[in-house]
Amino acid sequence: MEKKLRYGLVGAGSNAEKKHLTGYLNLPHVELVAICDVNMASANRLAEKYNIPGVYSDYTEMLQKENLDLISVCTPNFLHADISICALEHGVNVHCEKPLAINGTDARKISEAQIKSGKKLMIGLNNRFTKEALFVKEYIEAGLLGDIYEAKAGWIRRSGIPGRGTWFTNKQLAGGGVMIDLGVHYFDLVLYLMGMPTPSYIAGAAHQTYANSTTRNRNGYVGNRNGIFNVEDSAVGYLKLENGASVSLEFSWASNIEKDKAYYELIGTKGGIKYENGELTIFSEQLGTCIDINPKLGASHKSINEFEHFTHCILTGEEPLAPAEHGCYFMNIIDAYYKSVEQNKPVFFPELVGVR
Ligand SMILES: NC(=O)c1ccc[n+]([C@@H]2O[C@H](COP(=O)([O-])OP(=O)(O)OC[C@H]3O[C@@H](n4cnc5c(N)ncnc54)[C@H](O)[C@@H]3O)[C@@H](O)[C@H]2O)c1
């Protein structure tokens, strides 16, 4: 019988079950071997539900004992670096949730450990895998937008704090607020679609309005009344790129807006693309008339299954769609965003942070 990848999961919280366990569960090349959480009740609950034999409260013990080929890292952000590096040093491939780390320095350490290990690391940037994103990437690479000179990215919620007073709202544990939580999705995506261009400077603003509110939590998320809330709940910014293009940003967990919206826009010399809440529209001009095109994606373009993709990369040596190096590029930009907020002025990039 063909060898199956021995799979372990670290962090048995909500994303672990919704995304990673469901994602890896029925893959033919994967065997669910072990699960780890400091909260043994969480680990035991998922171990029983998904029939996982090994249960641990210490990930180093799991890595020493289980001879794993692959782990998912689904813990609070500040642990991503230690766990990913430890796994890579044990010769284990890593599927790490976003953000790769809480800052550029930790992201760089992970990337170096990955290169040294010869193993694969993929960041759980699920928005890169959608049929819409794959189509837009292809469309841009075919030159159909021309030169992109303006982009916008945002994910704004009216009431959507992911657990007020939990690790999400604690700077030390999360690395930041909404920018590092939701910004990581669509800010990353537009930069990825634009080919990860070299940044020139960033100007950011951040606001904390709902630290004491008990009404603006996201549905289903449990808050902690006595917990810390020392991060931003809304974030705006402007990134200028060396090629003259710009990206404007708006993210909010909670704000007084009309409706929730997840979107990006890419505007080029030949056409523009808008994605909003799952809908894609292309704007252009033909025969002297402005036209709108609504791509009917389906038969021609399918989303990539993130989990199948990563196991394929491990088994074939192919490079994953969201490698560690991309996380270094992005986390450098996020570091500069927070520095700009702190210093109340634009921050210029001291060195080129484009992909190696
Ligand atoms: N890609 C996405 O769309 C998406 C969605 C939600 C969350 N996430 C990411 O997934 C990660 C987890 O988020 P979540 O919503 O599941 O959080 P969560 O709080 O529900 O789960 C985190 C789990 O980690 C456990 N944990 C803490 N310290 C640990 C340690 N040292 N060893 C083992 N387990 C430990 C906690 O006990 C908890 O069960 C975060 O990085 C988050 O940004 C990604």
Side-chain angles (χ1 to χ4, degrees):
M1 195 179 83
E2 206 177 332
K3 177 185 165 0
K4 288 195 171 195
L5 297 173
R6 290 174 61 80
Y7 172 80
L9 182 138
V10 188
S14 87
N15 183 45
E17 178 167 19
K18 273 190 241 158
K19 190 177 155 183
H20 289 251
L21 281 182
T22 331
Y24 282 115
L25 185 62
N26 292 318
L27 294 189
H29 299 298
V30 177
E31 180 186 0
L32 270 51
V33 169
I35 188 162
C36 167
D37 199 297
V38 279
N39 181 340
M40 279 300 269
S42 301
N44 279 322
R45 186 182 76 79
L46 293 185
E48 272 166 37
K49 187 166 172 189
Y50 295 94
N51 204 15
I52 304 171
V55 186
Y56 296 85
S57 61
D58 178 348
Y59 67 87
T60 58
E61 192 189 339
M62 179 178 92
L63 288 166
Q64 276 157 19
K65 288 192 177 158
E66 292 288 0
N67 191 23
L68 300 171
D69 297 300
L70 158 69
I71 63 161
S72 292
V73 180
C74 298
T75 60
N77 302 343
F78 78 106
L79 292 164
H80 290 186
D82 282 355
I83 298 170
S84 298
I85 292 168
C86 184
L88 291 163
E89 286 173 352
H90 278 81
V92 178
N93 300 285
V94 177
H95 188 173
C96 180
E97 256 316 322
K98 60 80 199 166
L100 177 59
I102 55 170
N103 54 46
T105 309
D106 278 4
R108 174 60 57 208
K109 286 182 193 158
I110 297 175
S111 177
E112 279 167 6
Q114 182 266 314
I115 293 164
K116 197 169 162 203
S117 71
K119 295 292 162 186
K120 301 281 177 203
L121 183 142
M122 187 173 83
I123 313 165
L125 290 164
N126 42 289
N127 286 289
R128 290 187 179 196
F129 295 81
T130 65
K131 57 181 185 294
E132 290 82 10
L134 295 166
F135 174 78
V136 172
K137 185 95 177 128
E138 204 181 327
Y139 200 85
I140 291 169
E141 283 171 2
L144 294 168
L145 284 192
D147 294 328
I148 299 169
Y149 56 86
E150 190 183 340
K152 298 173 190 173
W155 189 343
I156 48 176
R157 290 180 185 159
R158 189 160 179 171
S159 296
I161 301 167
R164 191 188 71 88
T166 64
W167 71 263
F168 280 100
T169 61
N170 182 329
K171 172 97 181 160
Q172 217 185 336
L173 308 185
V178 67
M179 178 56 89
I180 211 163
D181 181 37
L182 301 186
V184 165
H185 284 291
Y186 287 98
F187 189 11
D188 167 79
L189 187 59
V190 291
L191 291 171
Y192 171 68
L193 294 170
M194 292 168 92
M196 303 180 62
T198 303
S200 171
Y201 67 88
I202 191 163
H207 306 280
Q208 189 202 81
T209 312
Y210 296 98
N212 296 314
S213 159
T214 51
T215 54
R216 307 298 280 266
N217 241 16
R218 192 167 184 215
N219 274 347
Y221 278 75
V222 180
N224 171 7
R225 188 174 284 272
N226 303 315
I228 292 171
F229 196 133
N230 60 359
V231 296
E232 79 284 357
D233 47 39
S234 79
V236 292
Y238 175 86
L239 175 71
K240 185 80 190 283
L241 300 165
E242 273 207 351
N243 65 10
S246 62
V247 185
S248 30
L249 307 161
E250 59 167 351
F251 297 98
S252 69
W253 276 336
S255 62
N256 293 319
I257 51 166
E258 184 193 0
K259 59 170 187 173
D260 292 7
K261 189 163 86 164
Y263 72 96
Y264 60 85
E265 282 185 60
L266 293 158
I267 304 166
T269 48
K270 290 190 190 164
I273 279 193
K274 178 177 148 190
Y275 169 92
E276 187 177 318
N277 295 343
E279 292 289 317
L280 205 58
T281 315
I282 299 172
F283 306 101
S284 190
E285 183 193 313
Q286 279 178 11
L287 304 175
T289 297
C290 289
I291 55 160
D292 297 357
I293 304 166
N294 293 110
K296 304 287 178 228
L297 303 177
S300 59
H301 287 77
K302 296 216 178 338
S303 300
I304 290 179
N305 179 312
E306 188 179 331
F307 308 92
E308 268 174 27
H309 170 72
F310 193 44
T311 52
H312 172 79
C313 291
I314 294 169
L315 294 167
T316 61
E318 202 178 287
E319 195 57 4
L321 214 63
E325 196 53 34
H326 291 195
C328 295
Y329 164 86
F330 188 70
M331 288 315 301
N332 273 325
I333 294 173
I334 293 294
D335 282 357
Y337 163 80
Y338 281 119
K339 199 167 164 189
S340 164
V341 169
E342 206 178 288
Q343 298 182 346
N344 202 21
K345 61 181 187 192
V347 166
F348 283 79
F349 288 86
E351 56 192 37
L352 303 184
V353 292
V355 197
R356 271 186 191 153

